[in-house]
Amino acid sequence: MDEVTVRQSTPLDAEAIHALMRPFVSQHLLLSRTEAEIIELTRHGFVAMVGPRCIGFAAIEVYSPKLAELQCLAVHPEAQRLGLGRKLVGHCIERARTLGVMEILAISSSEDFLKSCGFDYSLPDQKKALFCQLRPRNFDDN
């Protein structure tokens, strides 16, 4: 693989991010996002690039000074298992730290990977996340 650079994403990256996410959405590994939603996520997001090609993306959505959520972590299959996902998550964690966010949550089926990045099922003071689903998740590609 050619040299990979990770940088702050911009709204101009939205189309490439959307294309990167599409296969993950069709496999029900990521929720579908509109291009407008992706543009909003670029504010606190990072892309991994090989030349002009987007091969990875991750972002945080900041809900309050207490909480942000890691969202849309996607790495092209050809670039997986090279540490790129970990690098993207690290950038997101550092962004949250810079913004003074207290906690980051991640909802994912990749629990072993996220645990290796420092996430766990409960915080040191034993808080646990509980969910009540109010409507079905949208897996349709927008």
Side-chain angles (χ1 to χ4, degrees):
M1 171 137 317
D2 293 336
E3 187 167 336
V4 177
T5 59
V6 175
R7 64 166 170 78
Q8 167 74 48
S9 55
T10 73
L12 295 175
D13 297 315
E15 186 177 329
I17 293 166
H18 208 230
L20 171 71
M21 289 177 53
R22 198 168 287 123
F24 296 98
V25 170
S26 68
Q27 296 171 47
H28 296 177
L29 297 171
L30 287 177
L31 294 177
S32 179
R33 308 282 178 159
T34 65
E35 208 157 316
E37 289 171 321
I38 291 171
I39 288 170
E40 180 61 31
L41 285 171
T42 63
R43 180 176 177 204
H44 298 300
F46 299 89
V47 288
M49 306 293 292
V50 172
R53 185 172 169 224
C54 177
I55 61 165
F57 176 70
I60 57 167
E61 183 171 354
V62 179
Y63 298 129
S64 74
K66 290 183 178 182
L67 184 65
E69 181 180 354
L70 179 67
Q71 295 191 357
C72 299
L73 175 60
V75 175
H76 191 280
E78 294 174 8
Q80 291 178 1
R81 306 228 182 274
L82 300 175
L84 194 50
R86 186 175 319 285
K87 187 178 278 192
L88 288 164
V89 170
H91 276 75
C92 288
I93 289 171
E94 190 54 39
R95 171 60 57 88
R97 183 176 283 119
T98 300
L99 295 170
V101 174
M102 184 184 304
E103 300 166 355
I104 303 173
L105 83 99
I107 300 171
S108 173
S109 58
S110 303
E111 62 189 75
D112 290 338
F113 169 74
L114 288 169
K115 285 179 113 177
S116 76
C117 292
F119 289 81
D120 208 339
Y121 289 112
S122 62
L123 294 169
D125 55 3
Q126 298 304 307
K127 290 182 183 178
K128 291 183 174 58
L130 304 170
F131 297 89
C132 177
Q133 188 171 3
L134 302 178
R135 62 182 177 83
R137 293 184 291 160
N138 180 13
F139 288 112
D140 295 331
D141 193 12
N142 291 325

